[in-house]
Amino acid sequence: MDQTRYERLSALAAVVAALVPAVTVVIGWLDRMAAWPTSSGLGVVGLVAGAVAAVLAARRGDRATLGFGLAAVALPLGVLLPTALHPVATVLLLLARVLLLVFGVVLVVRSSGSRRTAGWFVTVGAGVWLLSEAVMNVLFRVWIPPQEALLPLFTVPQVGEIVGFAAAALVFVPPLVRPVGAGVRRLWDTADVR
């Protein structure tokens, strides 16, 4: 497999792995009854895509993408594990949040331009996701909020998750759209009518 196909396959796997958690949250918002069967099916797709992204990143030596791929694997694993393995699932979900946050920080530190901007969105989204979940766990041990406050409290971490993963998907899109740009330039250069 040549380098460009390898790069595109890696980018496609990372984009799918990033979009699956965001889409799963949105589906859960739209239809609560369809959330579990849909999320479990999408979770398997995200798990496979995350594993492919992680393996390809490890072969390339790209530690940032490897961290993202591991986050994309840990999240569906943590969600799909049976209730009997709740402590393992909790650790995996925490690991997914931390790895996504680290991925965003690495992008901010090592990148420039639009990639750095996307890194900021990943960092902020993952930070909100991580901190709001931690705060809610502590808060609910001390105080149970009124019923009308529960929806906003549970929505904040989900918004952070969507922002973090959607911005991560944008980081991996350029290798996928590069051939489209080259094709458009080629058509423009060879067009008779300009």
Side-chain angles (χ1 to χ4, degrees):
M1 183 182 310
D2 65 343
Q3 187 63 27
T4 56
R5 284 188 184 174
Y6 188 79
E7 184 181 57
R8 285 186 205 140
L9 178 63
S10 176
L12 179 63
V15 167
V16 169
L19 288 179
V20 164
V23 168
T24 303
V25 170
V26 171
I27 288 172
W29 284 348
L30 297 176
D31 187 6
R32 294 275 179 207
M33 299 307 286
W36 171 245
T38 305
S39 68
S40 62
L42 283 173
V44 171
V45 171
L47 179 66
V48 170
V52 168
V55 167
L56 293 176
R59 290 182 72 192
R60 268 195 337 255
D62 183 359
R63 287 183 280 176
T65 305
L66 175 62
F68 170 77
L70 292 176
V73 167
L75 179 62
L77 268 180
V79 171
L80 295 174
L81 283 178
T83 310
L85 297 173
H86 180 70
V88 176
T90 302
V91 170
L92 285 171
L93 293 173
L94 178 63
L95 182 66
R97 292 178 182 105
V98 170
L99 284 172
L100 186 63
L101 180 66
V102 170
F103 172 69
V105 169
V106 168
L107 283 177
V108 168
V109 171
R110 293 187 182 170
S111 302
S112 61
S114 61
R115 194 169 164 95
R116 184 178 203 160
T117 303
W120 276 110
F121 278 101
V122 171
T123 302
V124 170
V128 166
W129 187 32
L130 175 65
L131 291 177
S132 60
E133 286 286 343
V135 166
M136 281 192 342
N137 285 337
V138 171
L139 178 70
F140 287 166
R141 292 178 196 276
V142 178
W143 170 70
I144 302 295
Q147 186 72 28
E148 56 274 357
L150 288 177
L151 183 64
L153 281 174
F154 284 113
T155 303
V156 169
Q158 292 176 336
V159 169
E161 180 181 0
I162 288 172
V163 168
F165 278 107
L170 292 176
V171 169
F172 298 109
V173 166
L176 297 176
V177 297
R178 203 172 293 134
V180 175
V184 168
R185 280 191 298 277
R186 173 87 173 119
L187 283 174
W188 182 256
D189 291 342
T190 60
D192 291 335
V193 181
R194 277 188 241 171

